[in-house]
PDB file of all heavy atoms in Angstrom:
ATOM      1  N   MET F 241      69.809 110.535  97.615  1.00 70.00           N
ATOM      2  CA  MET F 241      70.397 110.680  98.948  1.00 70.00           C
ATOM      3  C   MET F 241      69.314 110.874 100.013  1.00 70.00           C
ATOM      4  O   MET F 241      69.367 110.298 101.097  1.00 70.00           O
ATOM      5  CB  MET F 241      71.310 111.903  98.949  1.00 70.00           C
ATOM      6  CG  MET F 241      72.743 111.629  99.250  1.00 70.00           C
ATOM      7  SD  MET F 241      73.242 110.025  98.678  1.00 70.00           S
ATOM      8  CE  MET F 241      74.897 110.013  99.189  1.00 70.00           C
ATOM      9  N   VAL F 385      66.327 118.427  99.336  1.00 72.00           N
ATOM     10  CA  VAL F 385      67.415 117.509  99.019  1.00 72.00           C
ATOM     11  C   VAL F 385      66.965 116.622  97.869  1.00 72.00           C
ATOM     12  O   VAL F 385      65.819 116.169  97.829  1.00 72.00           O
ATOM     13  CB  VAL F 385      67.769 116.654 100.246  1.00 72.00           C
ATOM     14  CG1 VAL F 385      68.723 115.559  99.862  1.00 72.00           C
ATOM     15  CG2 VAL F 385      68.373 117.531 101.309  1.00 72.00           C
ATOM     16  N   GLY F 386      67.860 116.399  96.915  1.00 74.00           N
ATOM     17  CA  GLY F 386      67.496 115.580  95.769  1.00 74.00           C
ATOM     18  C   GLY F 386      66.867 116.403  94.659  1.00 74.00           C
ATOM     19  O   GLY F 386      66.337 115.868  93.708  1.00 74.00           O
ATOM     20  N   ARG F 389      70.526 120.061  92.754  1.00 88.00           N
ATOM     21  CA  ARG F 389      71.406 121.229  92.825  1.00 88.00           C
ATOM     22  C   ARG F 389      72.858 120.830  92.667  1.00 88.00           C
ATOM     23  O   ARG F 389      73.611 121.436  91.909  1.00 88.00           O
ATOM     24  CB  ARG F 389      71.210 121.936  94.171  1.00 88.00           C
ATOM     25  CG  ARG F 389      69.805 122.435  94.390  1.00 88.00           C
ATOM     26  CD  ARG F 389      69.534 122.659  95.847  1.00 88.00           C
ATOM     27  NE  ARG F 389      69.688 121.421  96.596  1.00 88.00           N
ATOM     28  CZ  ARG F 389      69.687 121.350  97.903  1.00 88.00           C
ATOM     29  NH1 ARG F 389      69.590 122.432  98.620  1.00 88.00           N
ATOM     30  NH2 ARG F 389      69.818 120.185  98.493  1.00 88.00           N
ATOM     31  N   SER F 390      73.254 119.779  93.402  1.00 87.00           N
ATOM     32  CA  SER F 390      74.645 119.339  93.296  1.00 87.00           C
ATOM     33  C   SER F 390      74.955 118.935  91.866  1.00 87.00           C
ATOM     34  O   SER F 390      76.010 119.280  91.323  1.00 87.00           O
ATOM     35  CB  SER F 390      74.893 118.151  94.215  1.00 87.00           C
ATOM     36  OG  SER F 390      74.639 118.506  95.533  1.00 87.00           O
ATOM     37  N   GLU F 391      74.034 118.222  91.244  1.00 87.00           N
ATOM     38  CA  GLU F 391      74.244 117.782  89.871  1.00 87.00           C
ATOM     39  C   GLU F 391      74.459 118.974  88.948  1.00 87.00           C
ATOM     40  O   GLU F 391      75.321 118.958  88.087  1.00 87.00           O
ATOM     41  CB  GLU F 391      73.043 116.959  89.389  1.00 87.00           C
ATOM     42  CG  GLU F 391      73.047 115.505  89.805  1.00 87.00           C
ATOM     43  CD  GLU F 391      72.730 115.311  91.272  1.00 87.00           C
ATOM     44  OE1 GLU F 391      72.327 116.301  91.931  1.00 87.00           O
ATOM     45  OE2 GLU F 391      72.890 114.204  91.775  1.00 87.00           O
ATOM     46  N   GLU F 432      80.429 118.687  98.666  1.00 82.00           N
ATOM     47  CA  GLU F 432      79.640 118.691  99.904  1.00 82.00           C
ATOM     48  C   GLU F 432      80.176 117.700 100.937  1.00 82.00           C
ATOM     49  O   GLU F 432      79.977 117.868 102.119  1.00 82.00           O
ATOM     50  CB  GLU F 432      78.166 118.439  99.609  1.00 82.00           C
ATOM     51  CG  GLU F 432      77.869 117.112  98.947  1.00 82.00           C
ATOM     52  CD  GLU F 432      76.401 117.007  98.521  1.00 82.00           C
ATOM     53  OE1 GLU F 432      75.558 117.536  99.243  1.00 82.00           O
ATOM     54  OE2 GLU F 432      76.130 116.406  97.474  1.00 82.00           O
ATOM     55  N   ASP F 518      79.445 123.644  97.782  1.00 90.00           N
ATOM     56  CA  ASP F 518      78.252 122.828  97.997  1.00 90.00           C
ATOM     57  C   ASP F 518      78.105 122.589  99.496  1.00 90.00           C
ATOM     58  O   ASP F 518      78.997 122.003 100.122  1.00 90.00           O
ATOM     59  CB  ASP F 518      78.423 121.497  97.236  1.00 90.00           C
ATOM     60  CG  ASP F 518      77.101 120.778  97.050  1.00 90.00           C
ATOM     61  OD1 ASP F 518      76.096 121.222  97.637  1.00 90.00           O
ATOM     62  OD2 ASP F 518      77.084 119.772  96.328  1.00 90.00           O
ATOM     63  N   GLU F 519      77.026 123.034 100.074  1.00 87.00           N
ATOM     64  CA  GLU F 519      76.769 122.906 101.504  1.00 87.00           C
ATOM     65  C   GLU F 519      77.966 123.388 102.318  1.00 87.00           C
ATOM     66  O   GLU F 519      78.659 122.608 102.960  1.00 87.00           O
ATOM     67  CB  GLU F 519      76.460 121.454 101.874  1.00 87.00           C
ATOM     68  CG  GLU F 519      75.284 120.851 101.133  1.00 87.00           C
ATOM     69  CD  GLU F 519      73.939 121.388 101.591  1.00 87.00           C
ATOM     70  OE1 GLU F 519      73.921 122.275 102.464  1.00 87.00           O
ATOM     71  OE2 GLU F 519      72.910 120.930 101.070  1.00 87.00           O
ATOM     72  N   VAL F 549      75.501 126.135  97.270  1.00 93.00           N
ATOM     73  CA  VAL F 549      74.360 125.234  97.364  1.00 93.00           C
ATOM     74  C   VAL F 549      74.084 125.018  98.837  1.00 93.00           C
ATOM     75  O   VAL F 549      75.008 124.681  99.588  1.00 93.00           O
ATOM     76  CB  VAL F 549      74.660 123.876  96.687  1.00 93.00           C
ATOM     77  CG1 VAL F 549      73.497 122.931  96.886  1.00 93.00           C
ATOM     78  CG2 VAL F 549      74.968 124.067  95.219  1.00 93.00           C
TER      79      VAL F 549
HETATM   80 MG1   MG N 831      73.944 117.735  97.102  1.00 59.41          MG
END
Side-chain angles (χ1 to χ4, degrees):
Chain F
M241 241 31 181
V385 171
R389 299 160 300 171
S390 300
E391 278 73 10
E432 61 187 325
D518 197 352
E519 302 287 3
V549 176

